[in-house]
């Protein structure tokens, strides 16, 4: 089983990034997928959730209207489109799969700074 995140990096405030998470080794389409983040010195925070078929999504209040979660059950990938990024979005972003079992990726770092 693997969850591999990519797409993180350094971006200026107001910019955009698209995170991807590639899943393998389990039946991706049976799992709810989530993005979490953890900033230095802070607890891990749930950012966005998407249901197994992609029909339902939920967002943390801090990212509503700026972030969009989506998935492709053919490619076994989940995405997080992040727009209007702010310095407080700086964090390690983790992909999480919840279903019969729970899996985590290793994270990808997003830094929002001048």
């Amino acid at each position: 089983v693997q969850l591999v995140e990519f797409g993180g990096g350094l971006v200026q405030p107001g910019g955009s990034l698209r995170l991807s998470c590639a899943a393998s080794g389990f039946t991706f389409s049976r799992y709810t997928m989530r993005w979490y983040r953890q900033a230095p010195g802070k607890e891990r925070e749930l950012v966005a959730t998407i249901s197994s078929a992609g029909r339902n999504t939920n967002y943390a209040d801090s990212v509503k209207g700026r972030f969009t979660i989506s998935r492709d059950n053919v490619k076994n990938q989940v995405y997080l489109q992040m727009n209007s990024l702010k310095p407080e979005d700086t964090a390690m972003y983790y992909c999480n799969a919840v279903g019969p079992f729970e899996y985590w990726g290793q994270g990808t770092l997003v830094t929002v700074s001048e």
Side-chain angles (χ1 to χ4, degrees):
V1 172
Q2 272 196 313
L3 289 174
V4 180
E5 302 97 332
F6 50 97
L10 174 64
V11 63
Q12 291 187 336
S16 297
L17 278 177
R18 187 193 195 209
L19 305 183
S20 300
C21 172
S24 61
F26 64 100
T27 308
F28 179 76
S29 60
R30 293 179 62 188
Y31 282 70
T32 293
M33 297 301 297
R34 295 172 174 162
W35 285 97
Y36 283 81
R37 67 185 180 186
Q38 188 166 20
K42 295 190 176 181
E43 292 189 357
R44 192 168 291 192
E45 173 191 20
L46 176 60
V47 174
T49 302
I50 187 164
S51 60
S52 56
R55 294 190 185 97
N56 298 303
T57 58
N58 284 291
Y59 299 91
D61 287 344
S62 57
V63 307
K64 272 181 187 174
R66 300 188 298 122
F67 290 12
T68 303
I69 189 170
S70 61
R71 66 189 295 160
D72 185 329
N73 283 354
V74 174
K75 293 183 179 179
N76 288 353
Q77 293 196 18
V78 61
Y79 311 100
L80 187 68
Q81 178 66 42
M82 306 185 294
N83 299 328
S84 303
L85 282 161
K86 305 174 181 180
E88 51 264 43
D89 294 318
T90 295
M92 188 72 79
Y93 283 72
Y94 297 91
C95 179
N96 170 250
V98 179
F101 301 95
E102 185 172 13
Y103 306 115
W104 288 89
Q106 83 292 343
T108 186
L109 181 62
V110 172
T111 303
V112 185
S113 174
E114 300 282 2

